[in-house]
Amino acid sequence: MNLSLRQLAAFEAVARAGSFTAAAERLRLSQSALSRTVAGVERTLRVSLFERTTRTVTLTAEGRQLLAVADRILAAHRVGMNDLARYLAGEHGTVTIATLPSVAAVLLPRVLSIFHEQHPGITVRILDGLAGTVTRHLRDGDADLAITIPDRAPPRMRRRALALDRFFAALPPGHRLAESATLTWSDLAPEPFVAIGADSSVRMFTDAAFADAGVSAAQVVEAANVATVGGLVAAGLGLSALPALVQALMSFAGLVHRPLTGPVVERRLDVILPDRGAPAPAARHFLDLLETLHADAYPLPAGVRWASESVPPSREWQPATAPPPTTGP
């Protein structure tokens, strides 16, 4: 047997009102239409649901049993539709962001604090990892959006530049180069260099910067973990070069940081979305917040600045490409 929500609602209205006339007024139906609907329910179930008199109707035993079922179904339907309406309005849901560890630990907390105040019903999931892992999460549909370097964006993705993260030299306290206000990549070349692993997004920038300066790093050790790099530099095993967001992850090491020039190198971070329809409502709210913070020039961590272009979620996003590291004189 199969009864529609419309049939159950009509039956429930008559059962609660005890009158076809009153129920018809509540449902804004003609009494004859309501009577036909209830009669259809009785035909489907092959039972009488009401004992009718000239003035009132009362439920039969079968009617009371159906009313209990109808109450549960209609209540669940109302709750479900209310939840759906709230989801579509962006009042609740989940937004999953795949991003680099430095972005997750240093840049996002400030943004997510504001986001939570504005949208307390939305849960945020962060999937942090190396650039390859971040883009895999996005490609496989595990994340709504990613914040990462554009060089690692998979094909058929949409992106917008978000921020630029400047590179600094990292030196142990007391090192002779720490006396200078700024350093060049050529200044680092003669020194033992602690490199971060090739799987990190940072490595491509340092390799490109040394090549652009026409020098080679005197690499003595390589480590995959940023904290390990900080510990090795603090122990005096060499110098390193890292973007500003990454510096914060090794604050425990008490290193000295100096801006690098010749060239100035900035790691560009993009917001990247799958090229499949519009973002979910919760993700749209997050993108809207990024756009608002950009427009308001919301303060970013030292050494990080907003990119010149904004992140409008309502416009068509351009296809992902792989621009080179941003450098200057």
Side-chain angles (χ1 to χ4, degrees):
M1 61 187 68
N2 186 24
L3 297 177
S4 68
L5 287 172
R6 182 183 64 82
Q7 288 175 306
L8 289 175
F11 162 75
E12 183 193 46
V14 175
R16 295 299 180 196
S19 163
F20 277 84
T21 301
E25 291 177 357
R26 172 188 158 194
L27 296 175
R28 297 182 180 179
L29 293 173
S30 67
Q31 186 171 335
S32 60
L34 180 58
S35 296
R36 287 194 299 270
T37 300
V38 172
V41 174
E42 292 179 319
R43 284 195 303 271
T44 298
L45 299 179
R46 298 179 182 178
V47 297
S48 294
L49 300 173
F50 297 103
E51 294 178 355
R52 297 163 173 82
T53 69
T54 56
R55 293 182 178 272
T56 62
V57 292
T58 58
L59 287 167
T60 62
E62 293 82 2
R64 288 192 295 272
Q65 185 65 27
L66 178 59
L67 180 60
V69 173
D71 283 344
R72 291 196 300 270
I73 293 173
L74 294 172
H77 179 259
R78 286 190 291 269
V79 169
M81 295 307 295
N82 285 338
D83 285 346
L84 177 61
R86 291 180 60 223
Y87 170 81
L88 294 176
E91 295 177 10
H92 77 89
T94 300
V95 55
T96 302
I97 304 166
T99 191
L100 306 172
S102 57
V103 176
V106 184
L107 182 61
L108 278 187
R110 302 184 186 192
V111 176
L112 293 181
S113 178
I114 299 171
F115 185 73
H116 180 68
E117 289 180 3
Q118 296 179 354
H119 306 284
I122 296 178
T123 300
V124 178
R125 293 176 64 237
I126 297 177
L127 305 176
D128 58 326
L130 297 178
T133 301
V134 169
T135 53
R136 186 167 61 251
H137 283 312
L138 192 64
R139 184 190 62 224
D140 294 347
D142 298 328
D144 296 297
L145 60 99
I147 301 176
T148 186
I149 59 171
D151 178 76
R152 301 295 177 91
R156 297 181 299 278
M157 295 285 165
R158 296 170 291 173
R159 64 165 180 82
R160 287 284 180 174
L162 177 67
L164 298 171
D165 188 12
R166 182 172 178 175
F167 272 71
F168 287 72
L171 308 89
H175 193 280
R176 62 179 184 82
L177 291 179
E179 298 177 1
S180 300
T182 62
L183 296 171
T184 68
W185 293 89
S186 296
D187 291 331
L188 304 187
E191 303 290 329
F193 190 79
V194 180
I196 198 161
D199 289 340
S200 169
S201 64
V202 171
R203 180 63 174 273
M204 62 175 286
F205 288 92
T206 56
D207 288 351
F210 280 120
D212 194 27
V215 296
S216 299
Q219 182 175 320
V220 294
V221 65
E222 176 181 306
N225 188 282
V226 169
T228 303
V229 172
L232 294 172
V233 173
L237 291 175
L239 313 183
S240 193
L242 301 158
L245 289 177
V246 174
Q247 289 178 26
L249 300 182
M250 53 177 63
S251 58
F252 70 93
L255 303 181
V256 176
H257 302 286
R258 294 290 181 264
L260 279 165
T261 62
V264 171
V265 177
E266 293 179 305
R267 178 179 65 162
R268 177 172 143 181
L269 299 169
D270 279 14
V271 178
I272 303 175
L273 286 135
D275 190 15
R276 52 172 188 267
R284 286 203 304 270
H285 281 315
F286 182 78
L287 294 168
D288 285 341
L289 175 60
L290 289 181
E291 172 65 8
T292 298
L293 295 178
H294 178 279
D296 293 345
Y298 180 79
L300 294 175
V304 184
R305 63 188 177 93
W306 293 105
S308 57
E309 61 180 288
S310 59
V311 190
S314 58
R315 301 179 190 172
E316 186 66 25
W317 290 46
Q318 64 190 39
T321 57
T326 303
T327 61

